[in-house]
């Protein structure tokens, strides 16, 4: 039996995710490798870089992935790519991502396309050029397949309707719920509209059950740690706490409020 992979490595993360062990991650939207490096040392299992809605261009993704992998890190770097397309998926993986989160997956065909973009032939169509990932993941295709995960986002009405088929896609490691888009897709007027909470919670159960039936991981984005703990207790296998920009604003606001209690400033 081969030795177990060291904690904090792509191999260990992939094995834990595929075994549906509880995992906790953090979400980053800022192009700030120094702060991302500090977050990666806190004990999170992964740090997800948002290349879809975040403020990172490719150079920022590359620098942040490098920062996540530095000494003392407990985390691996994931990237939510901007589209279900082989080019951004391949670039994120070549830069050293331990996996990709693929947005707007509507059906099993979309899920299969995402898997194909992550796997080398004959399993997929990823082009070979592991410029940085070869130092940490691979460089042999078989090693990359073993150590790299692909996660499909369930965040649209179509994706929810086809979630059983999506979860059954060969080679898919997990699904990831985007709660803001999903709530809007269910008729919410805003990304947090409580008027559709019943429908939203029912949708979460449906996705969890579909993932469990297919034997794959199921994750969800959360606004805070308490919400993440609640979702783990419900049966989600990996949860993300978001995000650096929001937490920066919250911390700055709290300190300002505390300073104002002196009564000497407005």
């Amino acid at each position: 039996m081969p030795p177990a992979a060291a904690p904090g490595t792509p191999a260990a993360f992939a094995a834990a995710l595929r075994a549906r062990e509880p995992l906790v991650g953090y979400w980053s939207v800022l192009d700030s490798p120094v702060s991302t490096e500090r977050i990666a040392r806190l004990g999170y299992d992964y740090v997800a870089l948002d290349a879809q809605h975040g403020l990172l261009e490719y150079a920022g993704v590359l620098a942040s992935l490098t920062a996540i992998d530095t000494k003392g890190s407990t985390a691996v770097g994931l990237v939510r790519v901007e589209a279900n397309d082989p080019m951004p998926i391949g670039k994120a993986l070549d830069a050293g991502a331990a996996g990709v989160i693929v947005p707007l997956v509507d059906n099993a065909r979309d899920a299969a396309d995402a898997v194909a973009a992550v796997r080398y032939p004959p399993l997929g169509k990823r082009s070979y050029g592991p410029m940085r990932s070869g130092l940490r993941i691979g460089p042999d295709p078989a090693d990359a397949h073993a150590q790299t995960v692909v996660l499909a986002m369930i965040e649209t009405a179509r994706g929810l309707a086809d979630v059983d088929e999506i979860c059954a896609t060969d080679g898919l490691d997990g699904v990831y719920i985007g709660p803001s888009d999903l709530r809007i897709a269910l008729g919410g007027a805003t990304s947090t509209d409580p008027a559709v909470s019943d429908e939203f919670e029912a949708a979460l159960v449906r996705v969890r059950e579909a993932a469990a039936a297919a034997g794959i991981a199921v994750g969800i984005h959360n606004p805070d740690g308490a919400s993440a703990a609640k979702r783990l207790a419900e049966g989600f296998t990996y949860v993300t706490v978001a995000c650096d920009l929001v937490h920066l604003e919250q911390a700055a606001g709290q300190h300002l409020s505390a300073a104002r209690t002196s009564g000497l400033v407005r």
Side-chain angles (χ1 to χ4, degrees), residues 27-32 48-58 60-61 64 79-83 103 153 221 242-246:
W27 198 261
S28 176
V29 302
L30 294 176
D31 185 353
S32 177
L49 307 174
D50 190 353
Q52 182 191 21
H53 292 304
L55 307 174
L56 303 95
E57 298 293 342
Y58 175 74
V61 169
S64 289
V79 177
R80 175 165 72 172
V81 294
E82 58 263 41
M153 291 198 73
H221 200 77
C243 65
D244 49 8
L245 180 60
V246 171

Side-chain angles (χ1 to χ4, degrees), residues 11-217:
F13 176 79
L17 182 114
R18 289 166 182 157
R20 292 179 286 167
E21 297 176 9
L23 299 167
V24 181
Y26 192 80
W27 198 261
S28 176
V29 302
L30 294 176
D31 185 353
S32 177
V34 174
S35 59
T36 302
E37 180 180 24
R38 295 178 76 92
I39 289 167
R41 295 165 61 93
L42 292 175
Y44 287 99
D45 297 300
Y46 61 93
V47 176
L49 307 174
D50 190 353
Q52 182 191 21
H53 292 304
L55 307 174
L56 303 95
E57 298 293 342
Y58 175 74
V61 169
L62 174 60
S64 289
L65 287 171
T66 303
I68 292 167
D69 290 342
T70 53
K71 182 179 179 180
S73 172
T74 63
V76 300
L78 304 180
V79 177
R80 175 165 72 172
V81 294
E82 58 263 41
N84 188 2
D85 181 274
M87 295 304 291
I89 290 173
K91 288 185 71 173
L93 296 175
D94 289 346
V100 290
I101 301 170
V102 181
L104 301 172
V105 172
D106 283 338
N107 50 51
R109 175 61 182 272
D110 288 346
D113 286 344
V115 172
V118 171
R119 308 300 179 209
Y120 292 112
L123 301 180
K125 56 184 179 182
R126 177 181 172 186
S127 179
Y128 188 81
M131 293 297 99
R132 178 171 179 271
S133 64
L135 302 175
R136 184 165 164 83
I137 305 169
D140 294 337
D143 292 332
H145 294 162
Q147 299 176 39
T148 304
V149 301
V150 54
L151 308 169
M153 291 198 73
I154 305 297
E155 53 185 344
T156 68
R158 289 177 60 191
L160 180 62
D162 288 349
V163 68
D164 295 303
E165 291 79 9
I166 291 171
C167 289
T169 300
D170 187 36
L172 187 68
D173 295 299
V175 289
Y176 185 70
I177 292 174
S180 295
D181 278 318
L182 184 58
R183 193 177 286 264
I184 292 171
L186 292 170
T190 68
S191 62
T192 58
D193 189 354
V196 294
S197 289
D198 289 346
E199 294 88 343
F200 179 75
E201 293 298 329
L204 300 193
V205 172
R206 181 173 181 186
V207 176
R208 287 203 314 270
E209 291 178 345
I216 64 172

Side-chain angles (χ1 to χ4, degrees), residues 176 179 220-231 238-243:
Y176 185 70
I220 188 169
H221 200 77
N222 301 273
D224 50 57
S227 299
K230 174 178 179 288
R231 296 306 185 188
Y238 67 103
V239 291
T240 311
V241 179
C243 65

